Amino acid sequence: MPVQRLSMPGDRKKAPLTTVAARIDEALEKSGIDATYPEAALAEAESAAHTWREHAAQHEDLTAIEFVTLDPESSTDLDQALHIERDGTGYRVRYAIADVPLFVEPHGPLDAETRERGLTLYLPDRRIPLHPVVLCEDEASLLPGKDTPAFVWDFSLDERASVTHVNLTRAIVRNREKLAYTAVQRALERGEAGSVMQLLVEVGEKRAALEIERGGASLNSPEQEVVTEADSVHLQWRLPEPIEEHNAQISLMTGMAAAQIMIEGKLGILRTMPPAAPEAIERFRAQAAALKEPWPQDLPYGEFLRTLDWRKGRHLALLDQATSLFRGAGYEAFDGTLPEVLEQSAIAAPYAHTTAPLRRLVDRFVLHVCHSLKTGAPLDDRVRAALPELPSLMHSAQQRHSAVEKKAREIAEIGVLSTLVGSEFEGTVLDFRPATDGGSNPSNARPDRIEVQFSNPPVARWIDGENLPIGTRVKARLERVEESRNWAEFSVVSAGRARGTDGSQDPTPA
């Protein structure tokens, strides 16, 4: 994920990479995830990599368009390429998405293996790709300086960046330059970025304004990044660069267009999320009031979340509580009868995953369906028959990967914490759970507990025996660590009040 790395005071503590990697190996083995591709699937991928041109005779030649890609600097699995130009008072946006369907034969061994995997798995020390490397990092990837097959979304936007027309074609494209988020952001700040990136900022800002009008919501808070370098692992905060947010708006626009095409055609698969339950909204409203950051009754929650600044202790705690409003996301496949839930409530519009087919299984099928519906090209019966299976396949993959990714993060965290026993850390109380007596099973009894988000290193941990209000600033000592259990014991040294934006009170260093 592209990030703005936030500076950290003091020495950056590191854990040995070999130890962390060995423990991740164990976690992978227990999970049943196999990084090795079956020979038949690999053979199909190799063949497709060498013969794809034979199947692309009807692809339009769009190599004259000066597409660029925008990704993290180290990325090689490039799903999207972009070109933007002015069109009267509006814009023309062309968005090329890797033509993965050209390389994968439905019901073949490669299709079977990708259905089993579902997603690319990202771990601190490795990546287990959805597709073999010969495709995802070579022939199917939109790498610079080579011709690559793609689905090209062609958008006409008005002066407000609202979509007025959408076209979709399969084409051969050529990426002129592989751009990196951080370098582009610095170039924009110096006034040295190219015209496409300048227009991306312009369109991205207008699309974000439209999102606010729709009632869309997002959580603007930093995330923990596990970084491996040389022979060590360390933790740091990460915050998306502004240009990443602008780029994300193009992807959201494409996913919304794909959803609309499929809804009108009554065939496809949507990414949905129901609105937050009334009780969850009322609970969050009460939490906001308790933290002295009241949520006005007439302000949509998306707009309220945008008023929160993660640098303030109370706001960081409230952003953590807000995650309860973003639950229930899933996939809905349909053929003839539309599902009851059409919208992805955080986006405040119908939406489909369609811009990352190298890394996510469902996108390949959405591209198949959208191209068929938009152009009248026949849809392979095998693709249509697979649609009802995709929600369960994606759900299983997400659950499996989420569990392994969580375990890998815990391993990296505990590895770093093992070097810091006896040290004291500042943090913010995110949550409180009162004591329980265990009911019929006294062994389940627990004392009062608080969850604290520490700033350096950026880890969150529960501390037993404390009763402090959410948003309180605390200092805690790391007493001991048990790596075999991924367990760390902290004790509170001192506690203050929930504080505002005084630099010394920031939960994470800016």
Side-chain angles (χ1 to χ4, degrees):
M1 180 181 290
V3 297
Q4 174 186 348
R5 290 181 174 85
L6 306 181
S7 60
M8 304 280 269
D11 295 332
R12 184 164 58 189
K13 299 300 182 181
K14 301 180 180 181
L17 178 57
T18 53
T19 302
V20 171
R23 297 197 63 218
I24 291 176
D25 285 342
E26 295 175 5
L28 277 173
E29 186 175 353
K30 290 178 181 178
S31 73
I33 293 176
D34 186 359
T36 306
Y37 247 89
E39 288 187 9
L42 280 176
E44 181 183 339
E46 290 283 354
S47 175
H50 289 95
T51 63
W52 67 263
R53 290 181 182 275
E54 300 172 11
H55 308 287
Q58 301 303 313
H59 280 49
E60 188 176 350
D61 184 355
L62 295 182
T63 55
I65 299 173
E66 296 187 351
F67 284 104
V68 297
T69 53
L70 181 59
D71 295 274
E73 185 175 3
S74 61
S75 294
T76 52
D77 51 349
L78 309 183
D79 287 291
Q80 313 107 11
L82 174 71
H83 185 266
I84 308 178
E85 60 187 353
R86 294 196 185 278
D87 184 12
T89 59
Y91 310 89
R92 185 178 186 182
V93 177
R94 279 174 283 201
Y95 204 39
I97 307 301
D99 190 346
V100 177
L102 189 66
F103 296 88
V104 183
E105 179 71 16
H107 286 192
L110 182 55
D111 181 34
E113 182 62 17
T114 56
R115 292 194 199 195
E116 180 68 25
R117 295 182 178 224
L119 296 160
T120 290
L121 175 61
Y122 293 93
L123 300 173
D125 64 331
R126 73 198 74 181
R127 177 179 64 189
I128 300 177
L130 173 60
H131 297 91
V133 171
V134 69
L135 297 183
C136 69
E137 297 186 22
D138 195 352
E139 285 301 305
S141 179
L142 300 173
L143 298 172
K146 73 180 187 71
D147 293 352
T148 313
F151 287 85
V152 178
W153 293 83
D154 191 345
F155 296 95
S156 295
L157 310 182
D158 64 18
E159 64 276 4
R160 299 181 69 236
S162 293
V163 176
T164 59
H165 181 73
V166 182
N167 193 28
L168 177 61
T169 188
R170 294 177 93 165
I172 306 300
V173 301
R174 186 178 303 149
N175 174 14
R176 293 299 200 279
E177 187 176 6
K178 178 180 180 292
L179 301 175
Y181 285 106
T182 302
V184 167
Q185 188 62 46
R186 301 293 88 79
L188 285 165
E189 292 165 0
R190 296 191 303 267
E192 299 173 358
S195 62
V196 171
M197 291 299 102
Q198 293 179 42
L199 286 172
L200 175 58
V201 173
E202 201 171 307
V203 171
E205 289 176 344
K206 291 182 177 182
R207 292 295 306 177
L210 293 173
E211 181 178 84
I212 292 172
E213 289 182 17
R214 291 195 312 271
S218 60
L219 296 177
N220 180 28
S221 55
E223 297 179 354
Q224 179 201 75
E225 181 179 33
V226 181
V227 180
T228 59
E229 53 186 30
D231 59 352
S232 64
V233 176
H234 67 267
L235 309 174
Q236 61 190 24
W237 288 111
R238 64 184 185 181
L239 186 69
E241 298 280 7
I243 192 63
E244 181 194 354
E245 301 296 335
H246 302 318
N247 196 44
Q249 286 296 332
I250 305 300
S251 181
L252 287 172
M253 179 177 72
T254 307
M256 291 164 62
Q260 194 60 43
I261 290 169
M262 292 187 292
I263 289 171
E264 292 174 359
K266 296 186 177 180
L267 175 67
I269 180 167
L270 303 177
R271 179 64 167 168
T272 62
M273 186 167 74
E279 56 269 25
I281 290 176
E282 288 308 310
R283 183 169 59 250
F284 181 66
R285 196 180 293 280
Q287 290 164 338
L291 286 168
K292 296 182 171 53
E293 297 290 344
W295 174 11
Q297 288 285 341
D298 60 348
L299 189 66
Y301 77 82
E303 288 192 50
F304 176 63
L305 294 180
R306 288 183 178 89
T307 70
L308 301 179
D309 182 352
W310 58 269
R311 295 172 180 84
K312 301 179 182 180
R314 292 193 303 267
H315 288 198
L316 181 68
L318 198 50
L319 284 166
D320 181 74
Q321 298 296 315
T323 57
S324 65
L325 304 178
F326 295 82
R327 291 179 178 168
Y331 293 93
E332 289 282 353
F334 54 98
D335 189 346
T337 302
L338 295 178
E340 291 185 10
V341 177
L342 294 177
E343 284 198 353
Q344 210 280 17
S345 62
I347 296 172
Y351 175 70
H353 277 153
T354 190
T355 62
L358 289 173
R359 294 169 284 162
R360 191 169 49 211
L361 173 69
V362 68
D363 300 49
R364 167 159 58 93
F365 292 85
V366 172
L367 288 168
H368 267 301
V369 173
C370 286
H371 183 259
S372 174
L373 292 172
K374 194 66 179 173
T375 67
L379 179 65
D380 191 311
D381 289 340
R382 295 170 296 179
V383 172
R384 189 171 195 146
L387 295 178
E389 304 172 17
L390 292 174
S392 62
L393 290 175
M394 293 303 301
H395 178 71
S396 296
Q398 288 168 338
Q399 281 197 319
R400 182 170 62 248
H401 286 205
S402 178
V404 175
E405 289 169 353
K406 179 182 178 182
K407 179 65 70 174
R409 285 196 305 271
E410 291 175 349
I411 289 168
E413 285 182 3
I414 212 70
V416 172
L417 290 176
S418 67
T419 69
L420 296 168
V421 174
S423 301
E424 295 182 357
F425 311 95
E426 292 188 351
T428 300
V429 178
L430 296 182
D431 203 355
F432 165 72
R433 291 181 184 172
T436 61
D437 60 11
S440 60
N441 188 353
S443 65
N444 290 332
R446 284 190 176 277
D448 287 339
R449 294 195 297 161
I450 56 172
E451 184 184 21
V452 176
Q453 174 64 67
F454 294 107
S455 56
N456 183 18
V459 299
R461 282 292 187 272
W462 287 93
I463 300 178
D464 289 345
E466 298 292 340
N467 182 345
L468 293 170
I470 293 172
T472 301
R473 293 288 299 169
V474 301
K475 180 178 287 186
R477 180 186 299 112
L478 176 57
E479 303 291 358
R480 59 195 180 105
V481 165
E482 288 187 23
E483 291 189 70
S484 61
R485 293 199 294 142
N486 292 330
W487 179 79
E489 179 184 352
F490 286 85
S491 62
V492 173
V493 175
S494 62
R497 295 180 298 171
R499 302 290 287 274
T501 187
D502 174 7
S504 64
Q505 300 300 320
D506 287 350
T508 53

